[in-house]
Amino acid sequence: MLLGVIADDFTGAGDIANTLAKGLPGQGGLVVTQYLGVPKVKADRSVEAGVISLKTRSSPVEDAVEQSLAALEWLRNQGCEQFVFKYCSTFDSTPEGNIGPVAEALATALGVKGVIACPAFPTVGRTVHQGHLFVQDRLLSESSMRHHPLTPMTDSDIRRWLAQQTRDPVGLVNTEIVRSGSGAVRSALDAAAADGATMVICDASLDDDLVTLGRAAAGHRLITGGSGIAIGLPANFLRSGKAAGAVTAFCGVDGPEAILAGSCSATTRHQIAVHAAGHPIMALDIDAAMAGRLDVGAILEFAAAHRGNAPLIYSSDDPLEVERLQKRYGREKVAETLDDLFARTARSLVESGVSRLVVAGGETSGAVAQALDLDALSIGPEIDPGVPILIGGKGRIALALKSGNFGAPDFFAKALKQLQQGQMK
Ligand SMILES: Nc1ncnc2c1ncn2[C@@H]1O[C@H](COP(=O)(O)OP(=O)(O)OP(=O)(O)O)[C@@H](O)[C@H]1O
Ligand SMILES: O=C(O)[C@@H](O)C(=O)CO
């Protein structure tokens, strides 16, 4: 294994696994495996990039640091020479963490400073200018991320946001330097390190900027960012002859299906509305769930009754209703109860024969994937930007774990079809 990725959520892990497997057009990517949690056994020797999915984005800081260091240790033991800490392209975090504390702990363990921090993912409209993060044509703090249930993003100046979470000062490499080439970026990172910065926000608004950053990162022990930061990394390993690259055949999975949505993002709620126009949907009663009165049996009956017609079960709601529930029961308690509900539902669905499962939301996907005990997933073709088909488990389950904000309006129906049909990549 050459490259090790520590991802702070499960959908983000799939996102970067997809980027590494694809590589640059015409150049190809790496042989990638996505692990669910820190594996207990050694990796297969064929794996060139290992992506460890953690569920640490919203966990207490100390837990996030401990789990990330455990992941680093395992990846080091597999021989990795470079490590990526993958977080969200909308920089999901709170003033306490977890991006800053985890990144500084990894940097200390690896003995490095002047580390790239770049959440940009231009394909889905996330760009960084003078250290400010944009979602399409809006500043992050003016996008729907302002109302995120767990990590409301109220400051677009991610240098200032990150500085609240870090011990060391945070540096900036702006667009002018990035457009001057990888040599200029390397010098700027060295200068920031000499000034004491561990984390250095790097501007990027085009894939070409990310390719430049990727080239500048060749030989760096640690890189941090969204999946975009990985665009240029496979080429470094292919160019040096260390990696042979990936050619993978993928066959679809034919079997019963279900869709679970816990994301409350505007994108997911729109996708649910589009799906509802032609398919059965079931809204979960959160008050009943909080009172322990929500029966998984009723969800299974709904899924079984609508087998073949893409049944969707969701908790997703608008910001006002989310706020009401969080005020009434407490944010953590709601998240814990819904994670548990989705986990039990997914396990029962798979036990009842479901073998194609689409899940919306990083926390929700984490709860589901952990409940299914899948260990390692292979990466299939991309459904929409940032969302690959994933295959795993003894019974061969096909999954699409969708980040809350990703996917076209008709994502749910399209994903189920692609999980079934498969295609060569
Ligand atoms: N009706 C609801 N009321 C309150 N909270 C909810 C409701 N439905 C879901 N939630 C909470 O919202 C959170 C959604 O997080 P999740 O990571 O699954 O989606 P997301 O943040 O949109 O996705 P991503 O992390 O991929 O961007 C979960 O913690 C879930 O418990
Ligand atoms: O970077 C992103 O936006 C996604 O991969 C993600 O992490 C959402 O959970």
Side-chain angles (χ1 to χ4, degrees), residues 130 171-192 200-204 209 212-213 216:
Q130 298 293 358
L172 175 69
V173 172
N174 66 17
T175 303
E176 198 185 340
I177 300 171
V178 174
R179 302 261 162 102
S180 303
S182 54
V185 172
R186 287 177 83 93
S187 305
L189 291 172
D190 289 346
V200 185
I201 302 292
C202 295
D203 281 1
D209 298 329
T212 301
L213 290 173

PDB file of all heavy atoms in Angstrom, residues 130 171-192 200-204 209 212-213 216:
ATOM      1  N   GLN A 130      -8.823  33.217  -1.592  1.00  0.00           N
ATOM      2  CA  GLN A 130      -8.244  33.973  -0.465  1.00  0.00           C
ATOM      3  C   GLN A 130      -8.701  33.385   0.877  1.00  0.00           C
ATOM      4  O   GLN A 130      -9.073  34.109   1.789  1.00  0.00           O
ATOM      5  CB  GLN A 130      -8.633  35.466  -0.560  1.00  0.00           C
ATOM      6  CG  GLN A 130      -8.125  36.168  -1.802  1.00  0.00           C
ATOM      7  CD  GLN A 130      -6.594  36.305  -1.841  1.00  0.00           C
ATOM      8  OE1 GLN A 130      -5.885  35.899  -0.905  1.00  0.00           O
ATOM      9  NE2 GLN A 130      -6.051  36.855  -2.913  1.00  0.00           N
ATOM     10  N   GLY A 171      -1.736  29.055   7.985  1.00  0.00           N
ATOM     11  CA  GLY A 171      -1.193  29.830   6.865  1.00  0.00           C
ATOM     12  C   GLY A 171      -2.137  29.861   5.677  1.00  0.00           C
ATOM     13  O   GLY A 171      -3.208  29.242   5.688  1.00  0.00           O
ATOM     14  N   LEU A 172      -1.728  30.611   4.642  1.00  0.00           N
ATOM     15  CA  LEU A 172      -2.531  30.696   3.402  1.00  0.00           C
ATOM     16  C   LEU A 172      -1.614  30.675   2.181  1.00  0.00           C
ATOM     17  O   LEU A 172      -0.623  31.405   2.124  1.00  0.00           O
ATOM     18  CB  LEU A 172      -3.341  32.005   3.403  1.00  0.00           C
ATOM     19  CG  LEU A 172      -4.126  32.296   2.113  1.00  0.00           C
ATOM     20  CD1 LEU A 172      -5.284  31.310   1.939  1.00  0.00           C
ATOM     21  CD2 LEU A 172      -4.678  33.730   2.118  1.00  0.00           C
ATOM     22  N   VAL A 173      -1.961  29.830   1.216  1.00  0.00           N
ATOM     23  CA  VAL A 173      -1.318  29.870  -0.108  1.00  0.00           C
ATOM     24  C   VAL A 173      -2.432  30.288  -1.067  1.00  0.00           C
ATOM     25  O   VAL A 173      -3.377  29.533  -1.302  1.00  0.00           O
ATOM     26  CB  VAL A 173      -0.743  28.485  -0.490  1.00  0.00           C
ATOM     27  CG1 VAL A 173      -0.255  28.491  -1.928  1.00  0.00           C
ATOM     28  CG2 VAL A 173       0.395  28.093   0.444  1.00  0.00           C
ATOM     29  N   ASN A 174      -2.338  31.501  -1.593  1.00  0.00           N
ATOM     30  CA  ASN A 174      -3.463  32.017  -2.386  1.00  0.00           C
ATOM     31  C   ASN A 174      -3.358  31.636  -3.868  1.00  0.00           C
ATOM     32  O   ASN A 174      -2.366  31.025  -4.318  1.00  0.00           O
ATOM     33  CB  ASN A 174      -3.619  33.534  -2.193  1.00  0.00           C
ATOM     34  CG  ASN A 174      -2.436  34.303  -2.759  1.00  0.00           C
ATOM     35  OD1 ASN A 174      -1.658  33.769  -3.554  1.00  0.00           O
ATOM     36  ND2 ASN A 174      -2.295  35.544  -2.345  1.00  0.00           N
ATOM     37  N   THR A 175      -4.401  31.998  -4.610  1.00  0.00           N
ATOM     38  CA  THR A 175      -4.503  31.582  -6.015  1.00  0.00           C
ATOM     39  C   THR A 175      -3.286  32.026  -6.824  1.00  0.00           C
ATOM     40  O   THR A 175      -2.784  31.281  -7.680  1.00  0.00           O
ATOM     41  CB  THR A 175      -5.782  32.184  -6.645  1.00  0.00           C
ATOM     42  OG1 THR A 175      -6.888  31.765  -5.856  1.00  0.00           O
ATOM     43  CG2 THR A 175      -5.985  31.726  -8.075  1.00  0.00           C
ATOM     44  N   GLU A 176      -2.814  33.240  -6.554  1.00  0.00           N
ATOM     45  CA  GLU A 176      -1.671  33.759  -7.314  1.00  0.00           C
ATOM     46  C   GLU A 176      -0.467  32.809  -7.194  1.00  0.00           C
ATOM     47  O   GLU A 176       0.196  32.509  -8.190  1.00  0.00           O
ATOM     48  CB  GLU A 176      -1.320  35.140  -6.737  1.00  0.00           C
ATOM     49  CG  GLU A 176      -0.477  35.971  -7.666  1.00  0.00           C
ATOM     50  CD  GLU A 176      -0.065  37.281  -6.996  1.00  0.00           C
ATOM     51  OE1 GLU A 176      -0.699  37.713  -6.015  1.00  0.00           O
ATOM     52  OE2 GLU A 176       0.933  37.853  -7.474  1.00  0.00           O
ATOM     53  N   ILE A 177      -0.242  32.316  -5.989  1.00  0.00           N
ATOM     54  CA  ILE A 177       0.888  31.389  -5.796  1.00  0.00           C
ATOM     55  C   ILE A 177       0.587  30.053  -6.468  1.00  0.00           C
ATOM     56  O   ILE A 177       1.437  29.486  -7.168  1.00  0.00           O
ATOM     57  CB  ILE A 177       1.175  31.187  -4.286  1.00  0.00           C
ATOM     58  CG1 ILE A 177       1.536  32.528  -3.645  1.00  0.00           C
ATOM     59  CG2 ILE A 177       2.290  30.169  -4.078  1.00  0.00           C
ATOM     60  CD1 ILE A 177       1.641  32.492  -2.127  1.00  0.00           C
ATOM     61  N   VAL A 178      -0.656  29.555  -6.274  1.00  0.00           N
ATOM     62  CA  VAL A 178      -1.001  28.256  -6.878  1.00  0.00           C
ATOM     63  C   VAL A 178      -0.816  28.329  -8.398  1.00  0.00           C
ATOM     64  O   VAL A 178      -0.240  27.422  -9.022  1.00  0.00           O
ATOM     65  CB  VAL A 178      -2.449  27.840  -6.512  1.00  0.00           C
ATOM     66  CG1 VAL A 178      -2.855  26.563  -7.249  1.00  0.00           C
ATOM     67  CG2 VAL A 178      -2.589  27.647  -4.999  1.00  0.00           C
ATOM     68  N   ARG A 179      -1.254  29.430  -9.004  1.00  0.00           N
ATOM     69  CA  ARG A 179      -1.158  29.561 -10.477  1.00  0.00           C
ATOM     70  C   ARG A 179       0.283  29.795 -10.924  1.00  0.00           C
ATOM     71  O   ARG A 179       0.589  29.761 -12.117  1.00  0.00           O
ATOM     72  CB  ARG A 179      -2.064  30.704 -10.966  1.00  0.00           C
ATOM     73  CG  ARG A 179      -3.534  30.513 -10.592  1.00  0.00           C
ATOM     74  CD  ARG A 179      -4.392  29.961 -11.693  1.00  0.00           C
ATOM     75  NE  ARG A 179      -5.636  29.414 -11.158  1.00  0.00           N
ATOM     76  CZ  ARG A 179      -6.825  30.019 -11.187  1.00  0.00           C
ATOM     77  NH1 ARG A 179      -6.946  31.209 -11.749  1.00  0.00           N
ATOM     78  NH2 ARG A 179      -7.892  29.428 -10.693  1.00  0.00           N
ATOM     79  N   SER A 180       1.199  30.021  -9.968  1.00  0.00           N
ATOM     80  CA  SER A 180       2.622  30.161 -10.342  1.00  0.00           C
ATOM     81  C   SER A 180       3.296  28.797 -10.424  1.00  0.00           C
ATOM     82  O   SER A 180       4.472  28.692 -10.766  1.00  0.00           O
ATOM     83  CB  SER A 180       3.366  31.030  -9.324  1.00  0.00           C
ATOM     84  OG  SER A 180       2.755  32.280  -9.220  1.00  0.00           O
ATOM     85  N   GLY A 181       2.575  27.741 -10.058  1.00  0.00           N
ATOM     86  CA  GLY A 181       3.101  26.389 -10.251  1.00  0.00           C
ATOM     87  C   GLY A 181       3.482  25.679  -8.966  1.00  0.00           C
ATOM     88  O   GLY A 181       3.518  26.266  -7.881  1.00  0.00           O
ATOM     89  N   SER A 182       3.770  24.368  -9.115  1.00  0.00           N
ATOM     90  CA  SER A 182       3.987  23.527  -7.930  1.00  0.00           C
ATOM     91  C   SER A 182       5.242  23.932  -7.156  1.00  0.00           C
ATOM     92  O   SER A 182       5.290  23.802  -5.920  1.00  0.00           O
ATOM     93  CB  SER A 182       4.033  22.055  -8.318  1.00  0.00           C
ATOM     94  OG  SER A 182       4.982  21.852  -9.315  1.00  0.00           O
ATOM     95  N   GLY A 183       6.252  24.468  -7.857  1.00  0.00           N
ATOM     96  CA  GLY A 183       7.478  24.907  -7.160  1.00  0.00           C
ATOM     97  C   GLY A 183       7.163  26.059  -6.214  1.00  0.00           C
ATOM     98  O   GLY A 183       7.624  26.082  -5.059  1.00  0.00           O
ATOM     99  N   ALA A 184       6.345  27.011  -6.707  1.00  0.00           N
ATOM    100  CA  ALA A 184       5.972  28.170  -5.882  1.00  0.00           C
ATOM    101  C   ALA A 184       5.147  27.716  -4.674  1.00  0.00           C
ATOM    102  O   ALA A 184       5.316  28.237  -3.556  1.00  0.00           O
ATOM    103  CB  ALA A 184       5.173  29.165  -6.720  1.00  0.00           C
ATOM    104  N   VAL A 185       4.281  26.720  -4.890  1.00  0.00           N
ATOM    105  CA  VAL A 185       3.463  26.212  -3.782  1.00  0.00           C
ATOM    106  C   VAL A 185       4.366  25.576  -2.719  1.00  0.00           C
ATOM    107  O   VAL A 185       4.233  25.830  -1.517  1.00  0.00           O
ATOM    108  CB  VAL A 185       2.415  25.188  -4.275  1.00  0.00           C
ATOM    109  CG1 VAL A 185       1.695  24.525  -3.106  1.00  0.00           C
ATOM    110  CG2 VAL A 185       1.412  25.853  -5.208  1.00  0.00           C
ATOM    111  N   ARG A 186       5.327  24.774  -3.175  1.00  0.00           N
ATOM    112  CA  ARG A 186       6.225  24.109  -2.214  1.00  0.00           C
ATOM    113  C   ARG A 186       6.987  25.142  -1.385  1.00  0.00           C
ATOM    114  O   ARG A 186       7.111  25.017  -0.167  1.00  0.00           O
ATOM    115  CB  ARG A 186       7.210  23.194  -2.948  1.00  0.00           C
ATOM    116  CG  ARG A 186       6.563  21.927  -3.487  1.00  0.00           C
ATOM    117  CD  ARG A 186       7.563  21.087  -4.260  1.00  0.00           C
ATOM    118  NE  ARG A 186       8.370  20.255  -3.367  1.00  0.00           N
ATOM    119  CZ  ARG A 186       8.057  19.001  -3.049  1.00  0.00           C
ATOM    120  NH1 ARG A 186       6.985  18.435  -3.549  1.00  0.00           N
ATOM    121  NH2 ARG A 186       8.822  18.303  -2.239  1.00  0.00           N
ATOM    122  N   SER A 187       7.480  26.191  -2.066  1.00  0.00           N
ATOM    123  CA  SER A 187       8.227  27.234  -1.328  1.00  0.00           C
ATOM    124  C   SER A 187       7.321  27.924  -0.317  1.00  0.00           C
ATOM    125  O   SER A 187       7.729  28.199   0.817  1.00  0.00           O
ATOM    126  CB  SER A 187       8.779  28.307  -2.287  1.00  0.00           C
ATOM    127  OG  SER A 187       9.541  27.697  -3.274  1.00  0.00           O
ATOM    128  N   ALA A 188       6.071  28.212  -0.729  1.00  0.00           N
ATOM    129  CA  ALA A 188       5.147  28.903   0.177  1.00  0.00           C
ATOM    130  C   ALA A 188       4.806  28.021   1.383  1.00  0.00           C
ATOM    131  O   ALA A 188       4.674  28.513   2.512  1.00  0.00           O
ATOM    132  CB  ALA A 188       3.875  29.291  -0.574  1.00  0.00           C
ATOM    133  N   LEU A 189       4.664  26.711   1.147  1.00  0.00           N
ATOM    134  CA  LEU A 189       4.375  25.798   2.270  1.00  0.00           C
ATOM    135  C   LEU A 189       5.567  25.750   3.231  1.00  0.00           C
ATOM    136  O   LEU A 189       5.399  25.760   4.459  1.00  0.00           O
ATOM    137  CB  LEU A 189       4.056  24.389   1.748  1.00  0.00           C
ATOM    138  CG  LEU A 189       2.728  24.241   0.983  1.00  0.00           C
ATOM    139  CD1 LEU A 189       2.637  22.853   0.343  1.00  0.00           C
ATOM    140  CD2 LEU A 189       1.524  24.463   1.911  1.00  0.00           C
ATOM    141  N   ASP A 190       6.778  25.736   2.656  1.00  0.00           N
ATOM    142  CA  ASP A 190       7.987  25.722   3.507  1.00  0.00           C
ATOM    143  C   ASP A 190       8.061  27.000   4.336  1.00  0.00           C
ATOM    144  O   ASP A 190       8.406  26.973   5.521  1.00  0.00           O
ATOM    145  CB  ASP A 190       9.255  25.605   2.641  1.00  0.00           C
ATOM    146  CG  ASP A 190       9.390  24.210   2.031  1.00  0.00           C
ATOM    147  OD1 ASP A 190       8.671  23.299   2.493  1.00  0.00           O
ATOM    148  OD2 ASP A 190      10.196  24.049   1.087  1.00  0.00           O
ATOM    149  N   ALA A 191       7.717  28.141   3.694  1.00  0.00           N
ATOM    150  CA  ALA A 191       7.772  29.427   4.411  1.00  0.00           C
ATOM    151  C   ALA A 191       6.737  29.447   5.543  1.00  0.00           C
ATOM    152  O   ALA A 191       7.024  29.910   6.655  1.00  0.00           O
ATOM    153  CB  ALA A 191       7.519  30.582   3.439  1.00  0.00           C
ATOM    154  N   ALA A 192       5.540  28.908   5.255  1.00  0.00           N
ATOM    155  CA  ALA A 192       4.498  28.869   6.289  1.00  0.00           C
ATOM    156  C   ALA A 192       4.946  27.984   7.454  1.00  0.00           C
ATOM    157  O   ALA A 192       4.738  28.322   8.629  1.00  0.00           O
ATOM    158  CB  ALA A 192       3.192  28.346   5.700  1.00  0.00           C
ATOM    159  N   VAL A 200      -2.059  24.836   6.394  1.00  0.00           N
ATOM    160  CA  VAL A 200      -1.981  25.950   5.446  1.00  0.00           C
ATOM    161  C   VAL A 200      -3.149  25.831   4.464  1.00  0.00           C
ATOM    162  O   VAL A 200      -3.192  24.900   3.643  1.00  0.00           O
ATOM    163  CB  VAL A 200      -0.646  25.923   4.665  1.00  0.00           C
ATOM    164  CG1 VAL A 200      -0.525  27.155   3.787  1.00  0.00           C
ATOM    165  CG2 VAL A 200       0.540  25.830   5.619  1.00  0.00           C
ATOM    166  N   ILE A 201      -4.108  26.766   4.575  1.00  0.00           N
ATOM    167  CA  ILE A 201      -5.237  26.752   3.639  1.00  0.00           C
ATOM    168  C   ILE A 201      -4.703  27.080   2.241  1.00  0.00           C
ATOM    169  O   ILE A 201      -3.955  28.046   2.061  1.00  0.00           O
ATOM    170  CB  ILE A 201      -6.297  27.814   4.028  1.00  0.00           C
ATOM    171  CG1 ILE A 201      -6.828  27.582   5.449  1.00  0.00           C
ATOM    172  CG2 ILE A 201      -7.442  27.848   3.003  1.00  0.00           C
ATOM    173  CD1 ILE A 201      -7.663  26.347   5.659  1.00  0.00           C
ATOM    174  N   CYS A 202      -5.081  26.255   1.252  1.00  0.00           N
ATOM    175  CA  CYS A 202      -4.639  26.503  -0.123  1.00  0.00           C
ATOM    176  C   CYS A 202      -5.857  26.811  -0.990  1.00  0.00           C
ATOM    177  O   CYS A 202      -6.838  26.062  -0.978  1.00  0.00           O
ATOM    178  CB  CYS A 202      -3.912  25.278  -0.680  1.00  0.00           C
ATOM    179  SG  CYS A 202      -2.376  24.941   0.188  1.00  0.00           S
ATOM    180  N   ASP A 203      -5.785  27.895  -1.738  1.00  0.00           N
ATOM    181  CA  ASP A 203      -6.857  28.251  -2.665  1.00  0.00           C
ATOM    182  C   ASP A 203      -6.907  27.255  -3.826  1.00  0.00           C
ATOM    183  O   ASP A 203      -5.867  26.754  -4.272  1.00  0.00           O
ATOM    184  CB  ASP A 203      -6.580  29.635  -3.284  1.00  0.00           C
ATOM    185  CG  ASP A 203      -6.944  30.791  -2.358  1.00  0.00           C
ATOM    186  OD1 ASP A 203      -7.393  30.522  -1.233  1.00  0.00           O
ATOM    187  OD2 ASP A 203      -6.783  31.948  -2.787  1.00  0.00           O
ATOM    188  N   ALA A 204      -8.088  27.014  -4.339  1.00  0.00           N
ATOM    189  CA  ALA A 204      -8.249  26.234  -5.580  1.00  0.00           C
ATOM    190  C   ALA A 204      -9.656  26.469  -6.093  1.00  0.00           C
ATOM    191  O   ALA A 204     -10.619  26.349  -5.334  1.00  0.00           O
ATOM    192  CB  ALA A 204      -8.034  24.746  -5.336  1.00  0.00           C
ATOM    193  N   ASP A 209      -5.950  23.702 -10.595  1.00  0.00           N
ATOM    194  CA  ASP A 209      -5.300  24.160  -9.352  1.00  0.00           C
ATOM    195  C   ASP A 209      -5.015  22.958  -8.444  1.00  0.00           C
ATOM    196  O   ASP A 209      -3.967  22.872  -7.797  1.00  0.00           O
ATOM    197  CB  ASP A 209      -6.199  25.152  -8.590  1.00  0.00           C
ATOM    198  CG  ASP A 209      -6.474  26.418  -9.397  1.00  0.00           C
ATOM    199  OD1 ASP A 209      -5.601  26.818 -10.195  1.00  0.00           O
ATOM    200  OD2 ASP A 209      -7.567  27.003  -9.224  1.00  0.00           O
ATOM    201  N   THR A 212      -2.088  21.039  -9.633  1.00  0.00           N
ATOM    202  CA  THR A 212      -0.841  21.717  -9.222  1.00  0.00           C
ATOM    203  C   THR A 212      -0.539  21.407  -7.752  1.00  0.00           C
ATOM    204  O   THR A 212       0.605  21.081  -7.392  1.00  0.00           O
ATOM    205  CB  THR A 212      -0.989  23.259  -9.384  1.00  0.00           C
ATOM    206  OG1 THR A 212      -1.272  23.528 -10.746  1.00  0.00           O
ATOM    207  CG2 THR A 212       0.267  23.988  -8.957  1.00  0.00           C
ATOM    208  N   LEU A 213      -1.576  21.491  -6.906  1.00  0.00           N
ATOM    209  CA  LEU A 213      -1.366  21.192  -5.480  1.00  0.00           C
ATOM    210  C   LEU A 213      -0.927  19.733  -5.306  1.00  0.00           C
ATOM    211  O   LEU A 213      -0.059  19.420  -4.491  1.00  0.00           O
ATOM    212  CB  LEU A 213      -2.642  21.464  -4.673  1.00  0.00           C
ATOM    213  CG  LEU A 213      -3.038  22.946  -4.521  1.00  0.00           C
ATOM    214  CD1 LEU A 213      -4.422  23.072  -3.847  1.00  0.00           C
ATOM    215  CD2 LEU A 213      -1.993  23.711  -3.704  1.00  0.00           C
ATOM    216  N   ALA A 216       2.620  19.449  -6.162  1.00  0.00           N
ATOM    217  CA  ALA A 216       3.440  20.052  -5.092  1.00  0.00           C
ATOM    218  C   ALA A 216       3.525  19.119  -3.884  1.00  0.00           C
ATOM    219  O   ALA A 216       4.491  19.160  -3.123  1.00  0.00           O
ATOM    220  CB  ALA A 216       2.822  21.385  -4.660  1.00  0.00           C
TER     221      ALA A 216
END
